[in-house]
Amino acid sequence: MWSKIKRAILKDPLSTKAISHERLTNPQGLAIFSADPISSTTYATEEILLVLAAVGTAASYISIPMALAIVCLILIVVISYRQVIKAYPQGGGVYNVAKKNLGEFPALLGAASLMVDYILTVAVSVTAAVAALTSAFEEFLPYRVVIGIAIIIFLAWGNLRGTRESGRMFSLPTYAFIVVFLGMIGYGFWRYAAGTFPVISYGESVQPQMINAIGIFLILRAFASGCTALTGIEATSNGVQAFKPPEGENAQKTMLRMGLILGSIFLGITFLASWAHVQPMEGETVVSQIARALFGKTAPYFIIQASTLSILFLAANTPFADFPRVASQLARDGYFPQQFLNLGSRLVFANGIIVLAVMSAFLLFVFGGRVHALIPLYAVGVFLGFSLSQFGMIRHWKRIGGHKRNIAINALGCFATTIVFLIVLSTKFIHGAWFLIPAIASIIFFMTKVKRHYARVEAIFSLDNTAIPRIASKKTIVVLVSNVGISSYAIQHAKSLRPVSLMAFHVAIDNEGAEKIRQEWEKSFPDIKLTVFISEYRDLISPVLGFLKSIEDLWRDDSVMVLIPEFIPKKFWHRFLHNQTGLRIRLAIEGAKDMNIEILELPVKESMLLWDDSPTIKLIEDMHK
């Protein structure tokens, strides 16, 4: 049943040989990897104005030079990350760079910050997408959390269907957004040049204040908020292997195009917002206000809102392409569970996709689907990763004797991103960025524990023959009896193993039940000893452990095996009508440190216990009639 449902949702499985055909073309790669950074232009300007609004509308004029500074930073980061792609075409971004040039802890720090950022990217982008929807249709505002979680589920489904499939699904909306927004910006510049650019009136006069009254901390905080425009810009360097060959060259081209588009749209929206004297307001985004001022609530306005919704919707898709790849690399190095290394039926890292969807949906739910509540957590981890990768690249070029020009490019990138990281951290710390410190520390702690476990297991598996524990040739088997019927198959299976000693054990909760099982047992298996323990406190686990321990102590020269028969009904949902006692017993035995007993779980299917002309079959047929 599960297989049929899976095929219906995700389509038929793909052969491993088809993995080369699941790579992205450059247009598809631009759509997948640029959706996140380009989408940030829809709220980055608003975040700047939201901070500056505290000192009046006159302060909004400073948003233009601030946007110019951020665009310069975008170009620096793009050029720097093209160096990363060139040096590490296998992908992995900051993790691979830091691992090979800075050591284990910086690599884990970069990976943890990157993973936190990916989770936040999904939550923030989906929340902003829902905000664009509720700006146009206010009646949906009470349902924003439900709508956001539904979007995350849809994105996970699209990515579970395969890389190429998601590239096809998500390319058109990305290019539609680029065309629509560049068209709106071009129309706005034409209106401004013609002297007909509309200025928004809010009905209340706000006393303008002098720019020199703005404190340096406020300017830095507004700049830090605007730097959310750079989130996701590194995604291409993490997913280089998603491109068709030559992977590195195609990824570099894609990153440059993405940077130019990102800078143009962000700068254009900031100019339009400044000219229109836009003020951030609850219930309507800055982009919505600009579009309404230019076009009114006509068809172009709704097209712009639909494009905004679609790009923010797709921005959350970028982490779905990158998070699983980073997790798989961590799993390959032993820092993440090995399940993240497994390719799903559609040749994607399905476990990483599912975990990302669950974590981001949880975050969206906790913060109530509010963009401004999530933004303070954003961008800190991004710039930490930027700084680590650029510093690692400096060490890389020095180690291999690279050209001084390459060192200069990454040195400039390291200096700029480190300064911005310090600004973002200090200005957003009390507004929620502090939460990232324990979050990143927890992930690093988790990864080190996982690594330690795998290292220990590897050491155990690599023991030479002299250290392999001795398994006694004599075998004593204990069959756990729930009822005599299912035990008949278990006894026959145990006899086929030719044990030196074969016995059975049953836990009853009263004398009546104990006597009944004894009588049935003596009729069916008079040659096999059955020990019945009456548990006055209805505890099944402790008597079993106690009996097995006594057998192990009694037959020290034997290898003791416990056989746990488990009834498997024909229909899947019938399993929930039976107690999971076998599972509980197995976990208890495995958790007992002072016991070294082999466990054999024996699935006994319903068909194994019945034959066509048996009285039981006839009884079942009569019941159905």
Side-chain angles (χ1 to χ4, degrees):
M1 182 181 67
W2 168 243
S3 179
K4 291 179 180 178
I5 294 173
K6 188 175 179 182
R7 284 173 180 264
I9 296 175
L10 303 180
K11 300 174 66 174
D12 292 335
L14 293 172
S15 167
T16 305
K17 296 178 181 178
I19 195 167
S20 60
H21 301 293
E22 287 295 300
R23 300 291 187 92
L24 299 172
T25 63
N26 282 8
Q28 289 175 337
L30 181 62
I32 292 292
F33 292 111
S34 68
D36 177 16
I38 291 176
S39 71
S40 63
T41 60
T42 62
Y43 53 79
T45 299
E46 182 167 354
E47 292 304 314
I48 294 175
L49 297 177
L50 192 66
V51 176
L52 296 178
V55 291
T57 56
S60 65
Y61 289 107
I62 203 173
S63 64
I64 292 178
M66 197 172 290
L68 289 169
I70 292 173
V71 169
C72 290
L73 184 62
I74 289 172
L75 294 176
I76 291 173
V77 172
V78 166
I79 295 171
S80 300
Y81 264 93
R82 279 169 56 88
Q83 300 271 84
V84 174
I85 294 171
K86 181 180 179 181
Y88 296 94
Q90 69 271 28
V94 59
Y95 171 68
N96 270 337
V97 174
K99 181 182 68 173
K100 296 186 177 181
N101 299 287
L102 302 178
E104 181 185 35
F105 180 76
L108 296 183
L109 179 62
S113 63
L114 199 61
M115 301 185 88
V116 169
D117 176 61
Y118 283 146
I119 296 170
L120 281 168
T121 295
V122 176
V124 169
S125 299
V126 170
T127 303
V130 177
L133 175 65
T134 55
S135 294
F137 305 99
E138 296 179 2
E139 58 270 24
F140 290 119
L141 188 60
Y143 309 104
R144 58 187 176 186
V145 173
V146 176
I147 295 172
I149 293 175
I151 291 174
I152 291 174
I153 292 173
F154 178 79
L155 287 170
W157 168 74
N159 282 275
L160 286 171
R161 288 169 65 91
T163 302
R164 187 171 58 173
E165 189 82 15
S166 64
R168 289 172 178 172
M169 291 171 61
F170 302 143
S171 291
L172 182 59
T174 302
Y175 288 110
F177 172 85
I178 294 171
V179 171
V180 167
F181 266 65
L182 288 178
M184 180 184 71
I185 292 168
Y187 178 70
F189 272 69
W190 177 77
R191 290 277 301 269
Y192 184 78
T196 61
F197 194 90
V199 176
I200 300 175
S201 175
Y202 291 91
E204 296 181 3
S205 60
V206 181
Q207 292 296 326
Q209 300 186 24
M210 297 300 294
I211 298 299
N212 56 15
I214 304 175
I216 184 65
F217 184 79
L218 189 70
I219 294 175
L220 292 177
R221 187 179 161 204
F223 176 77
S225 296
C227 283
T228 54
L230 279 83
T231 53
I233 203 169
E234 83 295 338
T236 308
S237 70
N238 292 317
V240 178
Q241 290 303 307
F243 287 88
K244 288 182 177 294
E247 294 88 346
E249 183 179 331
N250 289 331
Q252 284 183 304
K253 291 178 181 178
T254 298
M255 189 152 205
L256 181 60
R257 291 164 185 161
M258 177 263 296
L260 294 174
I261 295 170
L262 168 63
S264 301
I265 295 178
F266 171 63
L267 196 59
I269 290 175
T270 307
F271 269 101
L272 297 184
S274 179
W275 292 338
H277 298 171
V278 173
Q279 300 176 32
M281 57 187 292
E282 184 69 26
E284 187 175 11
T285 63
V286 164
V287 169
S288 175
Q289 293 183 61
I290 294 172
R292 183 165 51 82
L294 288 173
F295 304 104
K297 284 209 169 183
T298 58
Y301 167 81
F302 288 103
I303 291 174
I304 291 167
Q305 287 301 98
S307 299
T308 304
L309 175 64
S310 65
I311 195 65
L312 287 166
F313 178 86
L314 298 183
N317 186 66
T318 301
F320 280 103
D322 275 343
F323 180 94
R325 292 182 180 276
V326 174
S328 70
Q329 290 199 355
L330 289 166
R332 187 176 291 109
D333 292 339
Y335 292 105
F336 246 51
Q338 292 298 305
Q339 291 88 334
F340 288 87
L341 194 57
N342 300 334
L343 283 172
S345 61
R346 299 291 296 177
L347 299 179
V348 293
F349 298 107
N351 292 322
I353 292 172
I354 294 169
V355 168
L356 176 61
V358 171
M359 295 297 293
S360 55
F362 175 76
L363 202 61
L364 187 147
F365 174 78
V366 168
F367 285 88
R370 296 186 300 272
V371 180
H372 301 306
L374 287 164
I375 285 293
L377 305 177
Y378 213 23
V380 178
V382 179
F383 280 95
L384 175 59
F386 287 172
S387 302
L388 285 171
S389 66
Q390 298 312 305
F391 183 61
M393 285 303 297
I394 296 173
R395 296 283 296 271
H396 167 78
W397 296 125
K398 287 185 175 180
R399 179 168 54 83
I400 68 170
H403 198 279
K404 290 183 178 179
R405 185 188 56 143
N406 295 331
I407 298 175
I409 290 173
N410 288 121
L412 176 62
C414 181
F415 175 77
T417 54
T418 301
I419 294 296
V420 175
F421 166 70
L422 294 175
I423 293 173
V424 172
L425 179 63
S426 60
T427 55
K428 292 189 174 187
F429 188 82
I430 61 174
H431 297 281
W434 62 268
F435 176 75
L436 294 178
I437 296 176
I440 291 174
S442 299
I443 294 175
I444 293 175
F445 177 78
F446 169 76
M447 290 192 290
T448 54
K449 285 292 184 182
V450 171
K451 179 68 173 179
R452 186 177 302 174
H453 167 76
Y454 283 134
R456 183 173 180 273
V457 170
E458 185 178 354
I460 293 172
F461 286 171
S462 64
L463 291 175
D464 56 35
N465 293 332
T466 58
I468 295 177
R470 184 181 65 87
I471 302 297
S473 58
K474 297 179 180 180
K475 191 175 295 294
T476 295
I477 297 181
V478 178
V479 177
L480 299 184
V481 178
S482 57
N483 62 69
V484 178
I486 193 173
S487 299
S488 61
Y489 186 81
I491 289 295
Q492 296 303 319
H493 187 85
K495 287 181 177 180
S496 70
L497 299 177
R498 302 183 182 279
V500 172
S501 178
L502 174 61
M503 61 192 70
F505 183 75
H506 173 76
V507 180
I509 60 175
D510 53 38
N511 290 324
E512 183 180 351
E515 186 60 31
K516 182 180 179 181
I517 197 81
R518 282 196 188 98
Q519 292 176 2
E520 292 180 359
W521 190 265
E522 288 176 1
K523 291 179 182 178
S524 302
F525 308 106
D527 57 327
I528 299 174
K529 181 183 178 182
L530 172 68
T531 302
V532 179
F533 181 89
I534 300 175
S535 178
E536 297 180 4
Y537 297 98
R538 299 160 303 283
D539 178 17
L540 300 178
I541 305 299
S542 298
V544 171
L545 293 181
F547 182 77
L548 293 176
K549 179 62 178 172
S550 66
I551 296 299
E552 188 179 33
D553 292 341
L554 185 62
W555 279 280
R556 293 184 179 275
D557 294 331
D558 288 13
S559 174
V560 180
M561 172 187 288
V562 58
L563 196 154
I564 307 174
E566 181 183 3
F567 177 62
I568 309 295
K570 282 186 177 181
K571 296 184 178 180
F572 174 77
W573 66 273
H574 285 173
R575 298 188 185 189
F576 299 103
L577 303 178
H578 298 268
N579 293 327
Q580 304 300 315
T581 309
L583 174 62
R584 291 165 52 202
I585 292 174
R586 178 175 63 80
L587 293 175
I589 296 173
E590 290 176 352
K593 296 181 179 179
D594 58 341
M595 293 173 60
N596 186 24
I597 294 178
E598 297 179 55
I599 303 172
L600 177 60
E601 288 184 291
L602 183 65
V604 183
K605 295 183 179 181
E606 188 174 317
S607 58
M608 296 177 178
L609 302 175
L610 300 174
W611 54 94
D612 293 339
D613 57 347
S614 69
T616 308
I617 286 290
K618 294 178 180 178
L619 176 62
I620 293 174
E621 290 175 350
D622 291 341
M623 290 174 63
H624 279 293
K625 291 177 182 178

